[in-house]
Amino acid sequence: VKFNNCAGNKGVRYETNSLDFKVRADGTMYAVHQVQMPSKQLILMVTAWDPQTLGRWEAIIRFLVGEKLQHNGHKPKGRKSIPGELAQQQSDTLLPWRQHQSANGLRRQKRDWVIPPINVPENSRGPFPQQLVRIRSDKDKEIHIRYSITGVGADQPPMEVFSIDPVSGRMYVTRPMDREERASYHLRAHAVDMNGNKVENPIDLYIYVIDMNDNRPEFINQVYNGSVDEGSKPGTYVMTVTANDADDSTTANGMVRYRIVTQTPQSPSQNMFTINSETGDIVTVAAGLDREKVQQYIVIVQATDMEGNLNYGLSNTATAIITVTDVNDNPPEFTTSTYSGEVPENRVEVVVANLTVMDRDQPHSPNWNAIYRIISGDPSGHFTIRTDPVTNEGMVTVVKAVDYEMNRAFMLTVMVSNQAPLASGIQMSFQSTAGVTISVTDVNEAPYFPTNHKLIRLEEGVPTGTVLTTFSAVDPDRFMQQAVRYSKLSDPANWLNINATNGQITTAAVLDRESDYIKNNVYEATFLAADNGIPPASGTGTLQIYLIDINDNAPELLPKEAQICEKPNLNVINITATDADIDPNVGPFVFELPSVPSAVRKNWTITRLNGDYAQLSLRIMYLEAGVYDVPIIVTDSGNPPLYNTSVIKVKVCPCDENGDCTTIGAVAAAGLGTGAIIAILICIIILLTMVLLFVVWMKRREKERHTKQLLIDPEDDVRDNILKYDEEGGGEEDQDYDLSQLQQPETMDHVLNKAPGVRRVDERPIGAEPQYPIRPVIPHPGDIGDFINEGLRAADNDPTAPPYDSLLVFDYEGSGSTAGSVSSLNSSSSGDQDYDYLNDWGPRFKKLADMYGGGEED
C-alpha cells in the first residue's frame, strides 16, 4: 500500500479491518496465517493514522481470488494468477461469471464475483458514447448471450446515462457527468440467452464520478456584519465568515482557505485584523481601535479552494463590515466652570439654569447620557438637576420653594457623570465639576395667620359687643413696609365683627349653642387678611368658637297626644322628657301634676320610671270617653333649674277585651254621638251609589259612541235640531212661525214629483249613501289621523249630508215665463260712459239720472 503524508511518513501506523491480514510499516500487506479464501473478491479497509496529529486516512483494497498455483511463490499485490485462456483477454474485460474445472474433470459453479467500482471523471468532453468497460460471460462461446443493465441512470431517471451493447457487453456513458448532481450510480448487469432465459445471476456495478474542480467557493452571505469594542486587545474575536464549495470536500477541490484582501480605512494600521485561513474567524491583530476616530471598517475577504492555491484554485470574495462599538472612555465635561440663574421666591418647578456638557462618546447611549448631582450648597434640597434627553443638558429646577427673607442666594457645586461607568483605566476629568450661582428675587407674599385654625372657648349667651379675641395675621415681607387689613369672609350666622385694623373679634349677636349653625358645640368663621402691596396679596384664617352650654332651655314632654282606656288597666301612657341643653343641664327630670285645676290630680296620676321617663295613668275607676288636656310640670337639673308645663291631649275611649280602643269608641272619644255616626255612614253610602251610577252612565255612553258610524253625535245633527244661540226679538210674537217648514219631510213623494233640478234646501237628495269608515273599538294612536281623513273624504262626497248643496227655492211659480230673456243686456266696460241722456227720458228715469248723471258731484 503506497501512502505519503507529506511529512516523510514518520510514525505512521497501518491497520486493517480484518484479523487475517496486517500491513507492515513499509506498506506491505500479508496474511498472518493460512486462510481459506472463497471464490470471489476480497475487500479490505486499510487505515493509516498519525499519532501526533491524530490524522486518519483510509483506503479500500480489493483482491481477486484466483486458483491455487503449483508453486508457493509470492503473488503481486492486487493481482492474481490468470490461466492462459484468460490472459489473452483484453485488460478492460470483466469475467464476473467465470467457470472453474475440478480435479475430476467436472465443472463446478463458483460464487459470483464483486466487480470493482468503475470511476468516471466528471465534465468529460467525449466523444460520446464513451466506453467504460466490457462485461462478458465465458458461456458466450457455447450459446449466444444478450447483455443488459438496469438501475438509476439506465432504465430509471435519469434515463440512458449509461448504455450497453447487448451482443459485445461493452458499457458506455452517453453524456458528461456532474458529480455535484450525482456522485455515484448503482447498476445491475444481466446475461440472458436468445429466449430471454437467465444464463447468469445479475451482477452489481458501482460507478463513481470522479470530482473535478469546477465549482468556486460560495460565501453564505455577501455581506457580513460584526462588531468589536474600541480599545480591544490584539487577538479579540470579531466575527466568522463561511464559504462552501460544492466540490468534494475530501479532496483539494473542496478544501477552502480564507485570506483578507483589503481593509478600509487603513488607520491606525493597514493590518488591524487577521483571519483564520481554515475556520474563517476574524480577530484583531493590532491595538488602537478608537470609535471616536474610526467608527467602521470594511474588510474584503477572499475564499480559495485547492487549499488556497491561488495558481490552481478558484476564488470568491465577500465583504465584512466591522463596527467599532463605543465604550465609556470619555468622561463628560462642563463647557464652562460657572453658571448663574435667578428664581422668584415661592415658585416651584421652575428651571433657573441650563448646564451644558460635552461628551465624545456615542450620543444617546449610556456612555453619553449625563447624570447631574448637587454635591454642596443645597442642604435643604430646594433644587434638583434633570437631564434633557435630547440635548443632554442639565436643567436646574426648583422643587422646594425658596424664601427671599431666609436665603437671598445659593452657591451650588454640581458634578456630572454618565449612566455607564467609565472604562477601566479612565479617570474623571476635573472639568466634570462646576459651580452654579442662583439669585432669589423678592415678591409680595400673602399675610398668614400663625394659629390657623384658632380655637377659643366661652359660654353661650354672651351679650352683644363682647370682645372674644384678637385674630391677627403676620406679613412675611419683612423688607416691605405694608399694612394689613382684616375682613370677614364667612360668618354663617352673622354673629361676629372684626376690627379692620387690629383684627379684634367682637360679638354682633347673642351666640346660641342650640342653633343650627353649631356643629359639635363649635361655631366656625373665616376671616381675610390682605396687604397693600403691588399686587396685593391676601390670606385666610379660621376661628373656631367652642360654646359652653348654659341652662337656657326648659324641658319638653313627648308625645303631645295619646289615648287610654276609660277603665283602669295595664294600658298606660309613657312620657319622655327632652331638653335642648346638654349635661348637666338636662336630666334627671322631675314630673308632677299641677294642683290647679283640681280635677287633674283627681283623675290622673303620674309615676316616674327613671330620670327621663314617666308613666301617666287613670287614678279613678272610670272616666267618660272624650278628649282631655292633661297638664304636666317637668323640671330639669340645671343650675338654676328650669321647668315647663306641657299639655298632653289624651283621648279616653272604650276598649275591647284586649285593651284596645274600639272603632266606635274612638269616634265617640272624638266627641260624636250615635246619630252623627249614623248620618256619616248614610252619606258615605249615598256617595258611593252616585259614583257607581256615574260609572255605569259613562260606560253606556262610550258604548254608544263605538256603535255610531258618523263622526258627529246625534245631538249635533243640524237636520233634526234648531240651535238657539241668542234671543234678541221682542217676545213671543217674533217667534210665531211654523217650524214644520224647517223639518225634514217624512216621505219623499213630493220630491219625486217635482221637476228635475228644482227642490228645497231642507230636502234630502236621493241617491246611494257612501260608506263611512267604521270607528275601531280600540283605536291605535297611529290610525286616528287616517280615520279622520277617510271620514272627511266620505262626507265631502256625500250629497245627502247637510248642508245640502242645492238651488235655494223660496217659492215655486211655474215652469214658464212670458218675459223675454235678459241675457242680451250688456254692460259697458268703458269708464267714460255719458249718462246725461237719462235726463231726457222723463220722470221715471230721474232716479237713475240723479245716480249716474250730475257731473263731478260727490
Side-chain angles (χ1 to χ4, degrees), residues 320-338:
I321 300 177
I322 302 174
T323 302
V324 181
T325 56
D326 183 47
V327 297
N328 195 11
D329 57 347
N330 294 282
E333 297 177 348
F334 286 104
T335 57
T336 182
S337 60
T338 58

Side-chain angles (χ1 to χ4, degrees), residues 590-606:
V590 176
F591 303 90
E592 58 181 343
L593 296 175
S595 57
V596 177
S598 59
V600 175
R601 290 191 175 185
K602 176 182 177 182
N603 298 332
W604 305 92
T605 181
I606 189 168

Side-chain angles (χ1 to χ4, degrees), residues 124-152:
S124 175
R125 296 184 179 181
F128 297 100
Q130 182 178 5
Q131 182 177 338
L132 298 180
V133 70
R134 180 184 180 189
I135 301 173
R136 60 176 294 272
S137 172
D138 54 3
K139 292 181 181 181
D140 60 355
K141 296 180 179 180
E142 302 173 1
I143 60 176
H144 293 287
I145 296 178
R146 293 294 181 264
Y147 303 97
S148 63
I149 56 176
T150 59
V152 176

Side-chain angles (χ1 to χ4, degrees), residues 82-98:
I82 302 175
E85 61 179 5
L86 296 179
Q88 299 176 0
Q89 302 294 333
Q90 297 181 0
S91 60
D92 60 348
T93 301
L94 301 179
L95 298 173
W97 300 291
R98 185 182 175 201

Side-chain angles (χ1 to χ4, degrees), residues 7 28 33 149 206 239 280 283-284 301 353 409 443 451 474 500 537 655 694 817:
T28 303
H33 52 264
I149 56 176
Y206 292 93
M239 62 193 305
V283 296
T284 59
V301 180
V443 297
T451 55
V474 177
C655 296
F694 178 76
S817 176

Side-chain angles (χ1 to χ4, degrees), residues 75-309:
K75 301 183 181 68
K77 295 189 292 291
R79 297 177 62 89
K80 67 181 183 65
S81 297
I82 302 175
E85 61 179 5
L86 296 179
Q88 299 176 0
Q89 302 294 333
Q90 297 181 0
S91 60
D92 60 348
T93 301
L94 301 179
L95 298 173
W97 300 291
R98 185 182 175 201
Q99 301 292 330
H100 299 274
Q101 188 172 3
S102 61
N104 56 10
L106 297 177
R107 301 177 65 87
R108 60 187 179 89
Q109 179 70 36
K110 292 288 186 178
R111 286 184 294 174
D112 299 335
W113 288 7
V114 176
I115 304 303
I118 302 171
N119 295 325
V120 180
E122 67 173 334
N123 302 326
S124 175
R125 296 184 179 181
F128 297 100
Q130 182 178 5
Q131 182 177 338
L132 298 180
V133 70
R134 180 184 180 189
I135 301 173
R136 60 176 294 272
S137 172
D138 54 3
K139 292 181 181 181
D140 60 355
K141 296 180 179 180
E142 302 173 1
I143 60 176
H144 293 287
I145 296 178
R146 293 294 181 264
Y147 303 97
S148 63
I149 56 176
T150 59
V152 176
D155 61 345
Q156 299 178 18
M159 307 285 286
E160 299 179 355
V161 177
F162 303 97
S163 64
I164 189 171
D165 189 322
V167 177
S168 64
R170 290 184 175 88
M171 191 171 70
Y172 301 91
V173 59
T174 62
R175 59 192 181 192
M177 310 294 291
D178 187 359
R179 192 201 68 85
E180 288 72 39
E181 181 179 347
R182 192 176 185 89
S184 63
Y185 296 86
H186 178 202
L187 303 177
R188 303 200 73 177
H190 305 271
V192 298
D193 58 14
M194 299 300 292
N195 295 324
N197 297 320
K198 182 173 67 174
V199 177
E200 304 287 358
N201 292 327
I203 297 300
D204 291 327
L205 299 177
Y206 292 93
I207 301 174
Y208 293 97
V209 182
I210 300 174
D211 182 48
M212 305 295 289
N213 189 20
D214 59 344
N215 290 279
R216 294 179 180 274
E218 296 291 341
F219 283 94
I220 298 177
N221 301 309
Q222 282 300 311
V223 178
Y224 289 85
N225 292 283
S227 62
V228 61
D229 291 340
E230 62 175 329
S232 297
K233 297 179 180 180
T236 303
Y237 172 80
V238 180
M239 62 193 305
T240 299
V241 296
T242 304
N244 297 324
D245 197 314
D247 292 326
D248 190 357
S249 61
T250 62
T251 66
N253 298 335
M255 295 182 179
V256 180
R257 299 294 181 264
Y258 304 92
R259 73 185 187 95
I260 294 178
V261 180
T262 60
Q263 167 196 305
T264 305
Q266 298 180 358
S267 174
S269 172
Q270 62 180 358
N271 295 320
M272 295 297 295
F273 305 95
T274 186
I275 188 170
N276 188 306
S277 61
E278 295 185 1
T279 62
D281 294 341
I282 299 178
V283 296
T284 59
V285 73
L289 291 173
D290 190 352
R291 191 203 65 84
E292 287 72 38
K293 295 180 179 179
V294 179
Q295 299 182 3
Q296 191 179 80
Y297 290 90
I298 299 178
V299 177
I300 305 300
V301 180
Q302 184 182 59
T304 307
D305 58 14
M306 297 301 291
E307 299 182 285
N309 191 321

